[in-house]
Amino acid sequence: SLAVSPAAGPADERVETRVAGLSPGQPVTLRAVAADDRGCLFQSCAHYRADSRGELHLGTDASHGGDYTGVEPMGLFWSLAPAGMEKPYQRLVPRSTGAPMKVEVLVHQGHSPPGALPGPVVAKAEVQRLFTAPGVRRIRLKEGVVRGSLFLPPGDGPFPGVIDMYGDEGGLIEFRSSLLATHGFAALSLPYFDFEDLPRVMKALKLEYFEEAVRFLQRHPKVKGPGVGVIGTGKGAELALSMITFLPEVVAAVSISGCSSNTVADLHYGEMTLPGLRFDMNKVSISDTGVFDISEALDDPANPANSPSVIPIEKAEGHFLLVVGEDDRMWKSPLYAELAIRRLRQHGKENFELLSYPGAGHRIDPPSTPFCQVALDRVLKVPVLGGGESKAHAHAQEHSWGKIQEFLHLHLG
């Protein structure tokens, strides 16, 4: 028999997986299978041996092979990757947060390597991973120029307010916001291009758009004031740094794999412009398998010639949490965090915390989000290296998620 509990629970929480009724020392392969919203199949596998009682517990027993080794209670979830017949380099992230992600866990006889035909199934169970807790409300937003989705926790509130942004893939990405609402935050998932009537491509950005979003959230009757927080990944992280710098209503910023300078698109605010650092496509290297490594391509923010692009974060009155993966191959986020800290310290400021994770790559998402070392870039339409090693990256996701919530609660109440 196979028991996975809870059978339905929040997507960022651990499950307990136990197998009973095997013969002592019996070799089995555990597999997980899931499909995304478009029907693309993802799977993972790991090799275990039953103990002397014919039982297995993924919380204490080690995997000896497959997609990961060692004691990894959530290994089957974070190692999910596109199945052999699917297009490679796809991410398993939900496009809609309303429906749970269904994961089937199977126990097969014997040890079968990843990609091989597994042995007969001896037990199976289905798990539902919920991105929206019961009672969380999702409100689609068309407020002035601002677009997005506001997620409100159950209850009367008021709740600490957070704006959530992703990077240059554009569009509306909601799953982190809906999980934040599950943890008691009023979270506004904020797209800034390639969504509804927003600009199709990221050319020039106006900080006034983000200011309007901040004011909307701040004025909302369910939001606890006076200040709000921002969390962003990649380009979104860099926008979070600009928001806390220029908008006094923003009192806490979480930058995940961000740059300390403005990049790609010029950022305007009133009369001020921060020019965007550019990518030099001549500095991109392509592997034999056709994977693009763009880690050297961004203009050097430390070059004095690029100083007009530096975000003057020393002007911020609020607090910073900088989260970086030390093996980020999208760009040099550990260096950018170092430059940011140096700048704050030069101005006598200690209003920051740094979480730096060895072996983690670029996109550090909530726990158990499947690791994706190489992902298809929406703009370039080619596979781009994000870096990282699966186990270290998974541990970084789990650790940072708790720290991010602590930081936001501390500074937003």
Side-chain angles (χ1 to χ4, degrees), residues 22-23 25-31 45-50 56 65-66 106-113 116-122:
L22 300 169
S23 50
Q26 182 180 341
V28 287
T29 297
L30 264 69
R31 277 176 74 231
C45 76
H47 300 160
Y48 290 91
R49 279 187 188 280
L56 257 184
L106 305 109
V107 183
H108 296 266
Q109 283 180 21
H111 286 167
S112 46
L117 205 62
V121 175
V122 292

Side-chain angles (χ1 to χ4, degrees), residues 88-89 286-292 374 383:
Y89 312 133
I286 305 170
S287 74
D288 299 341
T289 54
V291 173
F292 283 57
V374 176

Side-chain angles (χ1 to χ4, degrees), residues 335-348:
L335 168 68
Y336 306 153
E338 206 179 296
L339 293 174
I341 288 169
R342 194 182 307 162
R343 190 172 179 100
L344 290 170
R345 287 203 162 130
Q346 279 167 354
H347 290 85

Side-chain angles (χ1 to χ4, degrees), residues 397-411:
Q397 291 193 148
E398 185 151 358
H399 183 263
S400 62
W401 186 234
K403 290 291 185 190
I404 286 166
Q405 291 172 60
E406 274 173 35
F407 170 83
L408 290 170
H409 276 302
L410 176 65
H411 298 293

Side-chain angles (χ1 to χ4, degrees), residues 89 91 166-170 202 233-238 256-259 263-264 277-281 283-285 291-301 323-336 359-365 371-389 393:
Y89 312 133
R91 284 189 191 283
Y166 271 91
D168 61 8
E169 64 268 53
M202 187 171 60
T233 298
K235 178 68 187 174
E238 170 200 309
I256 301 171
S257 310
C259 185
T263 67
V264 185
L277 295 181
R278 300 290 183 230
F279 280 94
D280 179 353
M281 296 316 277
K283 292 184 179 168
V284 173
S285 60
V291 173
F292 283 57
D293 182 344
I294 63 171
S295 58
E296 296 293 331
L298 185 69
D299 292 345
D300 179 6
V323 182
V324 295
E326 292 175 19
D327 191 34
D328 184 349
R329 297 295 294 276
M330 192 70 77
W331 59 11
K332 300 173 181 176
S333 58
L335 168 68
Y336 306 153
H362 179 70
R363 197 164 140 159
I364 299 172
D365 274 326
F371 172 67
C372 189
Q373 190 183 46
V374 176
L376 208 58
D377 187 275
R378 201 194 62 84
V379 183
L380 301 172
K381 303 272 190 277
V382 295
V384 172
L385 183 63
E389 179 277 313
H393 191 89

Side-chain angles (χ1 to χ4, degrees), residues 5-90:
S5 63
D12 57 347
E13 287 184 12
R14 282 187 177 191
V15 295
E16 277 219 359
T17 307
R18 293 176 184 270
V19 187
L22 300 169
S23 50
Q26 182 180 341
V28 287
T29 297
L30 264 69
R31 277 176 74 231
V33 182
D36 69 7
D37 321 51
R38 290 165 302 188
C40 171
L41 209 62
F42 290 75
Q43 56 185 18
S44 61
C45 76
H47 300 160
Y48 290 91
R49 279 187 188 280
D51 64 14
S52 56
R53 297 190 305 277
E55 294 177 0
L56 257 184
H57 179 214
L58 266 57
T60 51
D61 294 323
S63 161
H64 305 291
D67 291 319
Y68 62 89
T69 55
V71 179
E72 294 293 336
M74 296 301 290
L76 287 171
F77 293 83
W78 55 247
S79 62
L80 282 162
M85 70 282 209
E86 300 288 359
K87 284 191 187 125
Y89 312 133
Q90 299 192 70

Side-chain angles (χ1 to χ4, degrees), residues 90-273:
Q90 299 192 70
R91 284 189 191 283
L92 180 55
V93 288
R95 282 165 189 267
S96 149
T97 55
M101 184 184 286
K102 293 175 181 172
V103 182
E104 190 170 37
V105 181
L106 305 109
V107 183
H108 296 266
Q109 283 180 21
H111 286 167
S112 46
L117 205 62
V121 175
V122 292
K124 63 180 178 177
E126 188 184 80
V127 192
Q128 296 196 2
R129 308 288 282 158
L130 309 174
F131 288 91
T132 307
V136 167
R137 286 197 302 148
R138 172 182 179 264
I139 301 157
R140 281 303 302 277
L141 208 63
K142 270 198 166 175
E143 187 74 21
V145 295
V146 179
R147 301 290 172 263
S149 296
L150 176 64
F151 290 87
L152 293 173
D156 294 335
F159 308 103
V162 181
I163 289 176
D164 175 25
M165 299 171 295
Y166 271 91
D168 61 8
E169 64 268 53
L172 177 66
I173 301 173
E174 298 177 313
F175 74 101
R176 185 165 60 193
S177 303
S178 63
L179 288 173
L180 283 168
T182 296
H183 290 283
F185 294 93
L188 170 56
S189 182
L190 185 69
Y192 47 96
F193 75 102
D194 196 25
F195 180 71
E196 292 185 355
D197 55 356
L198 294 175
R200 284 277 307 134
V201 292
M202 187 171 60
K203 283 209 176 102
L205 293 169
K206 286 192 163 83
L207 200 62
E208 283 84 355
Y209 171 79
F210 302 91
E211 185 172 45
E212 201 169 315
V214 168
R215 291 190 175 153
F216 163 79
L217 192 60
Q218 209 186 10
R219 286 195 302 259
H220 197 283
K222 291 269 188 183
V223 173
K224 183 193 287 190
V228 299
V230 284
I231 177 172
T233 298
K235 178 68 187 174
E238 170 200 309
L239 285 164
L241 297 181
S242 292
M243 287 166 75
I244 194 172
T245 297
F246 298 109
L247 309 177
E249 305 92 334
V250 177
V251 298
V254 180
S255 160
I256 301 171
S257 310
C259 185
S260 49
S261 291
N262 185 52
T263 67
V264 185
D266 294 355
L267 182 67
H268 303 286
Y269 186 46
E271 299 294 298
M272 180 214 74
T273 297

